[in-house]
Amino acid sequence: MQITDPEVLRFIADTEAAYPAEANGATAEENRRMYDAMCAVFRAPRPEGLPVRDEDVAGVPVRRYTPEGAEARPFLLYSHGGGFVVGGLDSHDDVCAELAVATGCEVVSVDYRLAPEHLFPAQIDDVAAVWNAESGDGRRGIAIGDSAGGNLSAGLCFRMRRTGGVMPLAQVLIYPGLGGDMDAPSYHDNAEAPLLRTQDLKTYAGMLTGGDMELRRSNPEVSPLVAESFAGLPPAFIVTADVDPLRDDGPAYHKALQAEGISARWRNEPQLIHGYLRARHCSTRASESFGAISTWINAFLIG
């Protein structure tokens, strides 16, 4: 699909000026440097008066955003995007802060270990460790994340099902990579999409598993869509960007959950591209999508 929305086109140009496509093929250290600089370009100030603190939970660094009255609501465990290779507490700081204010929920952002220094399952181990610590006192929560973080949020549900841990109340997956069929149309139609190409996905997948592609074809904790059964998983809200090679992973997961009778909603965003959360203050479409995510969470908690 050709992108014609001028706000989206401007966002793409501003992103690529700080984070060119070749960054995905650079060393992990250089990639992170450029990614962090790009995120800083779009970072919005935190809402005034929001208490935020960094701490260690189960040996994992986290950042906690606690709006007034959050103790009466479930918490949100946020896993950031970045292909499992880049990103951290600062890259998604403003997203988490605004999400906390919009939902009234405490947001716990997880600074999980990154590939290639740390191979799978280090990332899901860290997310699960924080989840278990946060939910160990009877607190309930929702797993939420974007891109690689959407993968980790879904993977967490499979981990809890396997281990008998506390299952998230819901999973909110924002343009997630779920280990889908790379022969699906979106992987071909959007192979050269702005900000994320199909080849980039292959590069990141190899870095996560150390080149062990059989792992990605067999383990739902790294590739949720390869699961033999989706029974017992929580309700889901899945948001995809239409101009994104990962687009078709979303409806495939949505269909698999619905086949098990699990409540799931899928929303596809025309004209938007991977990583559009950073555009929520400069793109009407991105702003509306971010609002829809908060609205779904609030409605789900009320329901």
Side-chain angles (χ1 to χ4, degrees):
M1 169 186 256
Q2 183 179 5
I3 299 173
T4 58
D5 186 311
E7 293 178 331
V8 177
L9 291 171
R10 190 175 309 113
F11 168 68
I12 293 170
D14 290 345
T15 300
E16 291 180 336
Y19 190 66
E22 54 266 28
N24 291 305
T27 64
E29 182 178 1
E30 183 65 8
N31 192 350
R32 289 167 193 157
R33 185 192 66 77
M34 289 188 282
Y35 182 82
D36 289 346
M38 178 271 294
C39 290
V41 170
F42 296 99
R43 187 174 303 136
R46 293 174 185 162
E48 291 187 12
L50 175 66
V52 179
R53 70 181 185 275
D54 291 353
E55 58 185 70
D56 180 285
V57 174
V60 181
V62 305
R63 183 167 293 168
R64 195 181 296 275
Y65 306 78
T66 312
E68 184 176 358
E71 65 278 358
R73 295 171 75 81
F75 67 95
L76 308 181
L77 190 77
Y78 197 96
S79 299
H80 68 81
F84 308 100
V85 174
V86 301
L89 298 180
D90 290 338
S91 65
H92 289 65
D93 179 78
D94 50 347
V95 170
C96 291
E98 291 173 29
L99 192 62
V101 170
T103 63
C105 296
E106 180 173 74
V107 174
V108 181
S109 179
V110 184
D111 195 13
Y112 56 84
R113 287 170 288 172
L114 299 176
E117 296 91 337
H118 304 282
L119 301 180
F120 175 86
Q123 298 74 24
I124 189 67
D125 285 349
D126 287 354
V127 171
V130 175
W131 173 263
N132 287 332
E134 292 294 316
S135 61
D137 61 358
R139 292 181 76 201
R140 301 305 304 273
I142 290 173
I144 176 172
D146 68 288
S147 191
N151 171 287
L152 289 167
S153 298
L156 175 66
C157 298
F158 282 95
R159 172 68 66 91
M160 291 301 102
R161 188 181 72 172
R162 178 173 66 82
T163 62
V166 176
M167 185 66 74
L169 292 171
Q171 48 188 321
V172 179
L173 315 180
I174 306 165
Y175 38 80
L178 301 171
D181 181 3
M182 296 192 81
D183 286 329
S186 65
Y187 285 92
H188 297 281
D189 297 346
N190 297 322
E192 297 296 326
L195 310 191
L196 184 68
R197 304 167 299 185
T198 297
Q199 182 56 50
D200 299 330
L201 295 171
K202 295 177 181 178
T203 299
Y204 285 130
M207 295 174 76
L208 175 66
T209 63
D212 184 355
M213 301 311 291
E214 179 56 34
L215 181 65
R216 294 185 61 82
R217 289 190 287 266
S218 61
N219 190 334
E221 290 180 22
V222 66
S223 297
L225 281 169
V226 306
E228 295 182 0
S229 170
F230 295 82
L233 298 180
F237 182 48
I238 307 155
V239 186
T240 54
D242 197 52
V243 190
D244 180 354
L246 290 173
R247 180 196 63 212
D248 290 349
D249 281 21
Y253 193 64
H254 172 254
K255 182 179 180 180
L257 292 174
Q258 287 199 318
E260 293 286 357
I262 298 166
S263 175
R265 181 184 170 197
W266 166 51
R267 174 184 171 115
N268 187 53
E269 303 291 5
Q271 293 281 303
L272 288 180
I273 71 284
H274 196 84
Y276 70 75
L277 280 186
R278 286 187 298 276
R280 68 197 181 284
H281 292 297
C282 58
S283 161
T284 302
R285 292 177 186 270
S287 176
E288 290 175 349
S289 183
F290 185 72
I293 293 165
S294 301
T295 296
W296 186 90
I297 293 171
N298 286 323
F300 175 80
L301 293 177
I302 292 171

